[in-house]
Amino acid sequence: KIVLIDCGTDLSSDVMSGIRHVVDQLLIITTTKPDEATVAQGGLRTIRGAQMGWLADRAITLVVDKDDPKSLESARLGERANESRAQRREREKALRDKHKRDAEAIRSYFADQTSQLFHIPYDPVVGVEATLDIDNLSSETRVAYMEVAAALVTQLAEQSRMRDARR
């Protein structure tokens, strides 16, 4: 029996504190945006602080890239008066480099704190549709989500075998 609960960001609520004690597997979903990753990091600290480090240790983390690499610079920069093309290119490169550094730091943190980390590449369909149809995803994104599903099923199967062995 699999029960999925989307706890959002409030892991300290009374409801969540009760649920945390019957959870077999934690799936953490965050993004490459530092402010959003900070919230997920806080949730992980809450789990560890509740004497449930074992749950955090075997958690699976998905880091979803929400920034379209093709429009990363244009969406944030805009035109600046009296800016040369060379200056604009330099500014765009600095923004792309910062995004790469931020994303790598986020992935590194969760790779150190949880059992498995999966990078979910940018896909314009994610975040647009209320119900996500896997057939509408790019093949790269679809494969990434299938790899996550396989890892989740593998961990749940291992936990089931361990429970059966204790009986």
Side-chain angles (χ1 to χ4, degrees), residues 30-113:
T30 191
T31 73
T32 53
K33 295 187 179 294
D35 56 337
E36 294 176 14
T38 298
V39 174
Q41 290 168 342
L44 197 54
R45 281 192 299 276
T46 298
I47 294 289
R48 289 192 186 285
Q51 310 307 319
M52 299 185 71
W54 57 270
L55 186 57
D57 289 342
R58 71 176 185 217
I60 296 172
T61 303
L62 284 71
V63 178
V64 181
D65 196 338
K66 290 177 75 175
D67 287 317
D68 180 353
K70 293 179 186 119
S71 66
L72 185 63
E73 57 281 335
S74 62
R76 296 192 188 149
L77 292 173
E79 293 294 326
R80 290 193 179 170
N82 303 322
E83 181 178 53
S84 71
R85 270 198 167 130
Q87 288 170 321
R88 180 174 172 84
R89 278 194 305 272
E90 188 174 314
R91 201 162 44 98
E92 289 172 351
K93 181 182 180 319
L95 182 61
R96 280 191 307 274
D97 290 348
K98 181 184 181 320
H99 172 74
K100 286 178 186 175
R101 283 190 311 275
D102 288 346
E104 184 51 40
I106 291 164
R107 285 191 288 269
S108 177
Y109 173 85
F110 285 102
D112 289 344
Q113 296 293 317

Side-chain angles (χ1 to χ4, degrees), residues 65 69-70 119-124 126 134 136-148:
D65 196 338
K70 293 179 186 119
H119 171 247
I120 307 297
Y122 170 79
D123 194 305
V126 176
I134 198 164
N136 292 337
L137 296 172
S138 70
S139 60
E140 184 182 16
T141 304
R142 188 173 34 253
V143 167
Y145 278 116
M146 284 192 246
E147 288 172 348
V148 170

